[in-house]
Amino acid sequence: MIWQKIHHWFIPHKETHKKARLISWEALLIYVLFFIFLQVGFSIVGYSKPGILGITSNVDQKKLIELTNKERSQKGLPPVLENEALNKAAALKAQNMFEENYWAHFAPSGKTPWDFILGSGYKFTYAGENLAKNFYASNDVVSAWMASPTHRDNLLNSSYQDIGIAVVDGVLNGERTTLVVQEFGSTQILGTQPLVNSGSKKSVVPVEEYNKKPQLLTAFQSPQVGKPLLDPFQASRGTGIGIIFLITILLMVDLLVLKRRGVFRLSSNHTAHMAIMSVALTMLLTSKPGSIL
Protein backbone atom coordinates (compact mmCIF):
# COMPACT_ATOMS: atom_id res chain seq x y z
CA MET A 1 0.00 0.00 0.00
CA ILE A 2 2.77 2.41 0.94
CA TRP A 3 4.75 1.55 -2.17
CA GLN A 4 1.63 2.07 -4.31
CA LYS A 5 1.18 5.57 -2.88
CA ILE A 6 4.84 6.41 -3.46
CA HIS A 7 4.57 4.89 -6.92
CA HIS A 8 1.88 7.40 -7.92
CA TRP A 9 4.21 10.31 -7.15
CA PHE A 10 6.57 9.19 -9.93
CA ILE A 11 4.56 7.01 -12.36
CA PRO A 12 1.22 7.64 -14.11
CA HIS A 13 -1.77 5.97 -12.41
CA LYS A 14 -2.27 2.41 -13.59
CA GLU A 15 -6.02 2.66 -14.27
CA THR A 16 -6.69 6.35 -14.93
CA HIS A 17 -3.25 7.08 -16.44
CA LYS A 18 -3.30 10.36 -14.57
CA LYS A 19 0.10 12.05 -14.50
CA ALA A 20 2.57 11.45 -11.69
CA ARG A 21 1.79 13.76 -8.81
CA LEU A 22 5.23 15.40 -9.00
CA ILE A 23 4.43 16.82 -12.45
CA SER A 24 0.86 17.89 -11.79
CA TRP A 25 -0.11 21.55 -11.94
CA GLU A 26 -0.55 21.46 -8.17
CA ALA A 27 3.06 20.28 -7.83
CA LEU A 28 4.29 23.08 -10.10
CA LEU A 29 2.55 25.58 -7.84
CA ILE A 30 4.32 24.03 -4.86
CA TYR A 31 7.68 24.41 -6.62
CA VAL A 32 6.96 28.11 -7.19
CA LEU A 33 5.95 28.60 -3.57
CA PHE A 34 9.08 26.74 -2.49
CA PHE A 35 11.26 29.21 -4.37
CA ILE A 36 9.42 32.12 -2.78
CA PHE A 37 9.94 30.67 0.68
CA LEU A 38 13.59 29.96 -0.19
CA GLN A 39 14.20 33.63 -0.97
CA VAL A 40 12.33 34.70 2.16
CA GLY A 41 14.44 32.24 4.13
CA PHE A 42 17.63 33.73 2.73
CA SER A 43 16.45 37.19 3.81
CA ILE A 44 15.69 35.97 7.33
CA VAL A 45 19.07 34.25 7.63
CA GLY A 46 20.82 37.33 6.26
CA TYR A 47 19.33 39.64 8.87
CA SER A 48 19.62 37.20 11.78
CA LYS A 49 23.15 36.03 10.93
CA PRO A 50 24.83 38.82 8.89
CA GLY A 51 27.68 37.64 6.67
CA ILE A 52 26.61 33.98 6.54
CA LEU A 53 25.26 34.45 3.01
CA GLY A 54 27.10 36.05 0.11
CA ILE A 55 29.51 35.48 -2.74
CA THR A 56 33.27 35.11 -2.96
CA SER A 57 34.43 37.63 -5.56
CA ASN A 58 37.63 37.79 -7.61
CA VAL A 59 37.12 41.34 -8.87
CA ASP A 60 40.42 43.23 -9.12
CA GLN A 61 40.83 47.02 -9.08
CA LYS A 62 43.75 47.15 -11.54
CA LYS A 63 42.00 44.77 -13.93
CA LEU A 64 38.89 46.96 -13.93
CA ILE A 65 40.95 49.99 -14.97
CA GLU A 66 42.64 47.94 -17.69
CA LEU A 67 39.31 46.68 -19.03
CA THR A 68 37.81 50.17 -18.89
CA ASN A 69 40.64 51.58 -20.99
CA LYS A 70 40.38 48.65 -23.38
CA GLU A 71 36.75 49.55 -24.05
CA ARG A 72 37.67 53.21 -24.49
CA SER A 73 40.51 52.44 -26.89
CA GLN A 74 38.18 50.33 -29.05
CA LYS A 75 36.07 53.45 -29.51
CA GLY A 76 39.09 55.63 -30.31
CA LEU A 77 39.02 57.39 -26.93
CA PRO A 78 42.12 58.28 -24.87
CA PRO A 79 42.74 56.21 -21.73
CA VAL A 80 41.81 57.51 -18.30
CA LEU A 81 44.66 57.64 -15.79
CA GLU A 82 44.45 56.22 -12.29
CA ASN A 83 44.13 58.99 -9.74
CA GLU A 84 44.79 58.41 -6.03
CA ALA A 85 42.29 61.06 -4.92
CA LEU A 86 39.55 59.37 -6.95
CA ASN A 87 40.62 55.98 -5.59
CA LYS A 88 40.10 57.39 -2.10
CA ALA A 89 36.75 58.92 -3.08
CA ALA A 90 35.59 55.53 -4.40
CA ALA A 91 36.76 53.75 -1.24
CA LEU A 92 35.01 56.29 1.00
CA LYS A 93 31.81 55.92 -1.01
CA ALA A 94 31.92 52.13 -0.63
CA GLN A 95 32.59 52.46 3.10
CA ASN A 96 29.65 54.83 3.47
CA MET A 97 27.30 52.42 1.69
CA PHE A 98 28.24 49.72 4.19
CA GLU A 99 27.97 52.08 7.15
CA GLU A 100 24.54 53.42 6.17
CA ASN A 101 23.43 50.10 4.64
CA TYR A 102 22.24 51.39 1.26
CA TRP A 103 22.73 50.67 -2.43
CA ALA A 104 22.35 53.94 -4.32
CA HIS A 105 24.26 56.93 -5.69
CA PHE A 106 22.77 59.21 -3.03
CA ALA A 107 22.93 58.21 0.65
CA PRO A 108 19.90 58.20 2.97
CA SER A 109 21.75 60.78 5.08
CA GLY A 110 21.91 63.14 2.09
CA LYS A 111 25.53 62.52 1.06
CA THR A 112 26.05 62.95 -2.68
CA PRO A 113 28.59 61.45 -5.11
CA TRP A 114 30.45 64.77 -5.24
CA ASP A 115 30.74 64.88 -1.43
CA PHE A 116 33.19 61.99 -1.62
CA ILE A 117 35.02 63.30 -4.69
CA LEU A 118 35.45 66.81 -3.31
CA GLY A 119 36.11 65.36 0.14
CA SER A 120 39.09 63.46 -1.27
CA GLY A 121 40.59 66.74 -2.51
CA TYR A 122 39.80 66.26 -6.20
CA LYS A 123 38.50 69.56 -7.66
CA PHE A 124 36.65 68.47 -10.78
CA THR A 125 34.78 70.24 -13.51
CA TYR A 126 33.18 67.04 -14.76
CA ALA A 127 32.77 63.74 -12.89
CA GLY A 128 30.91 60.47 -13.09
CA GLU A 129 30.14 57.41 -11.01
CA ASN A 130 29.30 53.79 -11.84
CA LEU A 131 28.41 51.23 -9.18
CA ALA A 132 28.36 47.42 -9.17
CA LYS A 133 27.95 44.72 -6.56
CA ASN A 134 28.28 40.96 -6.18
CA PHE A 135 30.00 40.03 -9.43
CA TYR A 136 32.37 37.06 -9.51
CA ALA A 137 34.95 38.48 -11.94
CA SER A 138 36.23 41.82 -13.25
CA ASN A 139 35.19 41.21 -16.86
CA ASP A 140 31.62 40.51 -15.70
CA VAL A 141 31.48 43.95 -14.08
CA VAL A 142 32.67 45.83 -17.16
CA SER A 143 30.45 43.71 -19.44
CA ALA A 144 27.43 44.63 -17.34
CA TRP A 145 28.31 48.33 -17.48
CA MET A 146 28.81 48.15 -21.24
CA ALA A 147 25.45 46.41 -21.67
CA SER A 148 23.67 49.32 -19.97
CA PRO A 149 23.32 52.44 -22.20
CA THR A 150 23.68 54.94 -19.33
CA HIS A 151 26.67 53.17 -17.76
CA ARG A 152 28.31 52.67 -21.16
CA ASP A 153 27.92 56.35 -21.98
CA ASN A 154 29.57 57.19 -18.67
CA LEU A 155 32.44 54.76 -19.20
CA LEU A 156 33.01 56.01 -22.77
CA ASN A 157 32.68 59.71 -21.99
CA SER A 158 35.43 61.60 -23.81
CA SER A 159 35.44 64.39 -21.20
CA TYR A 160 37.07 62.24 -18.52
CA GLN A 161 40.82 62.16 -17.97
CA ASP A 162 41.11 60.43 -14.56
CA ILE A 163 39.70 57.33 -12.92
CA GLY A 164 39.54 55.88 -9.43
CA ILE A 165 38.13 52.48 -8.45
CA ALA A 166 37.55 50.74 -5.14
CA VAL A 167 36.64 47.07 -4.65
CA VAL A 168 35.48 46.59 -1.05
CA ASP A 169 33.98 43.63 0.82
CA GLY A 170 31.50 44.13 3.63
CA VAL A 171 28.02 43.24 4.82
CA LEU A 172 25.08 44.91 3.06
CA ASN A 173 21.47 44.03 3.91
CA GLY A 174 22.72 41.05 5.89
CA GLU A 175 24.77 39.50 3.07
CA ARG A 176 28.50 39.53 2.47
CA THR A 177 28.78 41.86 -0.51
CA THR A 178 31.55 43.01 -2.84
CA LEU A 179 30.99 46.61 -3.85
CA VAL A 180 32.69 48.19 -6.85
CA VAL A 181 32.74 51.99 -7.08
CA GLN A 182 34.08 53.57 -10.26
CA GLU A 183 34.74 57.33 -10.17
CA PHE A 184 35.64 59.40 -13.24
CA GLY A 185 36.83 62.98 -13.28
CA SER A 186 38.30 65.81 -15.24
CA THR A 187 39.93 69.02 -14.03
CA GLN A 188 39.92 70.64 -17.45
CA ILE A 189 38.04 73.92 -17.76
CA LEU A 190 34.81 73.25 -19.65
CA GLY A 191 33.20 76.66 -19.26
CA THR A 192 30.22 75.24 -17.37
CA GLN A 193 29.22 74.52 -13.79
CA PRO A 194 30.68 71.30 -12.38
CA LEU A 195 28.61 68.29 -13.43
CA VAL A 196 28.32 64.73 -12.09
CA ASN A 197 26.91 61.76 -14.02
CA SER A 198 25.58 59.09 -11.67
CA GLY A 199 23.61 56.34 -13.31
CA SER A 200 20.98 57.94 -15.51
CA LYS A 201 21.00 61.17 -13.50
CA LYS A 202 23.10 64.22 -14.39
CA SER A 203 23.50 66.65 -11.48
CA VAL A 204 24.80 70.20 -11.43
CA VAL A 205 26.93 70.70 -8.33
CA PRO A 206 25.79 73.74 -6.32
CA VAL A 207 28.44 76.47 -6.42
CA GLU A 208 28.42 76.90 -2.63
CA GLU A 209 29.18 73.20 -2.14
CA TYR A 210 31.90 73.20 -4.76
CA ASN A 211 33.68 76.34 -3.57
CA LYS A 212 33.80 75.50 0.10
CA LYS A 213 37.08 74.07 1.34
CA PRO A 214 36.94 70.27 1.00
CA GLN A 215 36.83 68.46 4.31
CA LEU A 216 38.76 65.23 4.07
CA LEU A 217 36.53 62.49 5.37
CA THR A 218 37.41 59.80 7.87
CA ALA A 219 40.32 57.65 6.74
CA PHE A 220 39.12 54.60 4.89
CA GLN A 221 39.16 51.31 6.73
CA SER A 222 38.17 48.18 4.86
CA PRO A 223 35.55 46.16 6.77
CA GLN A 224 36.82 42.82 8.05
CA VAL A 225 34.47 40.06 6.92
CA GLY A 226 35.05 36.35 6.55
CA LYS A 227 34.09 34.11 3.68
CA PRO A 228 30.35 33.37 3.41
CA LEU A 229 29.12 29.86 4.21
CA LEU A 230 26.49 29.84 1.46
CA ASP A 231 26.13 31.59 -1.89
CA PRO A 232 22.37 32.30 -2.26
CA PHE A 233 22.65 32.78 -6.02
CA GLN A 234 24.31 29.42 -6.60
CA ALA A 235 21.98 27.73 -4.10
CA SER A 236 18.87 29.08 -5.84
CA ARG A 237 20.25 28.34 -9.29
CA GLY A 238 21.30 24.79 -8.39
CA THR A 239 17.96 24.04 -6.73
CA GLY A 240 16.06 25.36 -9.74
CA ILE A 241 18.10 23.36 -12.25
CA GLY A 242 17.68 20.22 -10.11
CA ILE A 243 13.89 20.58 -10.00
CA ILE A 244 13.70 21.22 -13.75
CA PHE A 245 15.74 18.10 -14.53
CA LEU A 246 13.55 16.06 -12.15
CA ILE A 247 10.38 17.27 -13.88
CA THR A 248 11.89 16.66 -17.33
CA ILE A 249 12.82 13.08 -16.41
CA LEU A 250 9.35 12.44 -14.97
CA LEU A 251 7.74 13.79 -18.15
CA MET A 252 9.87 11.44 -20.24
CA VAL A 253 8.97 8.53 -17.95
CA ASP A 254 5.31 9.50 -18.24
CA LEU A 255 5.43 9.38 -22.03
CA LEU A 256 7.41 6.11 -22.04
CA VAL A 257 5.04 4.35 -19.62
CA LEU A 258 1.97 5.48 -21.53
CA LYS A 259 3.52 4.27 -24.77
CA ARG A 260 4.19 0.83 -23.26
CA ARG A 261 0.62 0.69 -21.98
CA GLY A 262 -0.65 1.43 -25.47
CA VAL A 263 -2.36 4.67 -24.46
CA PHE A 264 0.37 7.05 -25.64
CA ARG A 265 -0.71 10.64 -26.04
CA LEU A 266 1.21 13.86 -26.44
CA SER A 267 -1.25 16.19 -24.77
CA SER A 268 -1.26 19.96 -24.59
CA ASN A 269 -0.28 19.56 -20.95
CA HIS A 270 2.93 17.80 -21.96
CA THR A 271 3.70 20.58 -24.45
CA ALA A 272 2.97 23.28 -21.87
CA HIS A 273 5.14 21.57 -19.27
CA MET A 274 8.07 21.22 -21.67
CA ALA A 275 7.73 24.84 -22.84
CA ILE A 276 7.74 26.11 -19.26
CA MET A 277 10.71 23.93 -18.36
CA SER A 278 12.66 25.10 -21.42
CA VAL A 279 12.08 28.77 -20.65
CA ALA A 280 12.91 28.31 -16.95
CA LEU A 281 16.08 26.32 -17.70
CA THR A 282 17.26 28.90 -20.24
CA MET A 283 16.73 31.70 -17.75
CA LEU A 284 18.62 29.82 -15.02
CA LEU A 285 21.56 28.87 -17.26
CA THR A 286 21.95 32.39 -18.62
CA SER A 287 21.38 34.20 -15.33
CA LYS A 288 24.33 35.83 -13.64
CA PRO A 289 24.84 37.33 -10.21
CA GLY A 290 25.53 40.96 -9.63
CA SER A 291 23.77 44.23 -10.28
CA ILE A 292 24.80 47.70 -11.42
CA LEU A 293 23.65 51.19 -10.61
Side-chain angles (χ1 to χ4, degrees):
M1 180 67 73
I2 296 177
W3 164 246
Q4 192 175 30
K5 290 183 177 180
I6 297 176
H7 187 266
H8 290 160
W9 286 94
F10 299 91
I11 304 295
H13 194 279
K14 187 175 182 180
E15 286 80 27
T16 65
H17 307 301
K18 186 178 180 180
K19 286 186 179 63
R21 293 176 182 174
L22 287 177
I23 53 175
S24 65
W25 289 110
E26 294 83 358
L28 292 180
L29 177 60
I30 292 175
Y31 299 145
V32 173
L33 291 175
F34 172 76
F35 264 95
I36 294 175
F37 285 121
L38 183 65
Q39 301 308 313
V40 172
F42 285 149
S43 297
I44 294 174
V45 171
Y47 281 105
S48 61
K49 299 288 185 180
I52 294 295
L53 304 177
I55 73 166
T56 299
S57 174
N58 291 316
V59 177
D60 179 74
Q61 187 256 10
K62 299 295 183 185
K63 185 66 175 178
L64 288 172
I65 295 176
E66 176 188 328
L67 292 171
T68 295
N69 279 325
K70 181 178 179 181
E71 295 291 347
R72 290 176 65 86
S73 67
Q74 290 176 353
K75 299 298 181 180
L77 297 172
V80 282
L81 303 179
E82 184 176 3
N83 182 280
E84 285 305 314
L86 288 179
N87 279 341
K88 182 177 181 180
L92 290 170
K93 174 62 178 285
Q95 177 178 268
N96 183 251
M97 282 194 283
F98 285 126
E99 289 175 347
E100 296 190 35
N101 196 43
Y102 71 96
W103 167 241
H105 290 286
F106 293 81
S109 62
K111 291 185 179 69
T112 66
W114 57 86
D115 283 334
F116 301 100
I117 298 175
L118 293 173
S120 70
Y122 188 89
K123 299 287 285 187
F124 65 90
T125 53
Y126 200 33
E129 179 178 86
N130 284 337
L131 302 178
K133 69 173 181 176
N134 281 347
F135 284 89
Y136 291 126
S138 303
N139 60 305
D140 293 332
V141 177
V142 177
S143 294
W145 282 333
M146 290 297 293
S148 165
T150 55
H151 293 81
R152 180 177 64 248
D153 289 347
N154 213 11
L155 192 145
L156 298 178
N157 195 313
S158 60
S159 297
Y160 299 139
Q161 61 182 174
D162 300 316
I163 186 175
I165 291 182
V167 180
V168 186
D169 294 328
V171 176
L172 189 69
N173 293 324
E175 291 189 12
R176 182 189 185 279
T177 302
T178 299
L179 291 178
V180 178
V181 180
Q182 183 183 52
E183 305 285 13
F184 292 105
S186 174
T187 56
Q188 296 174 344
I189 303 300
L190 300 179
T192 60
Q193 275 188 275
L195 299 175
V196 174
N197 281 329
S198 52
S200 59
K201 184 176 181 179
K202 181 175 291 187
S203 304
V204 177
V205 181
V207 176
E208 61 275 13
E209 292 187 31
Y210 184 83
N211 289 334
K212 70 180 181 181
K213 184 178 180 180
Q215 299 294 315
L216 294 179
L217 305 178
T218 305
F220 171 71
Q221 293 181 347
S222 179
Q224 297 298 316
V225 292
K227 290 185 177 181
L229 297 181
L230 178 66
D231 184 332
F233 172 78
Q234 293 291 3
S236 298
R237 189 185 190 197
T239 301
I241 292 175
I243 291 176
I244 289 173
F245 273 112
L246 171 64
I247 295 174
T248 301
I249 291 173
L250 290 176
L251 283 172
M252 294 174 65
V253 170
D254 181 83
L255 292 172
L256 181 60
V257 170
L258 292 178
K259 183 177 181 181
R260 287 184 175 180
R261 291 176 182 173
V263 290
F264 174 76
R265 66 185 187 281
L266 185 62
S267 67
S268 59
N269 285 340
H270 284 100
T271 305
H273 275 75
M274 295 304 294
I276 293 173
M277 294 303 102
S278 298
V279 172
L281 183 60
T282 300
M283 291 177 63
L284 285 172
L285 291 177
T286 56
S287 64
K288 294 182 179 181
S291 57
I292 58 176
L293 196 63

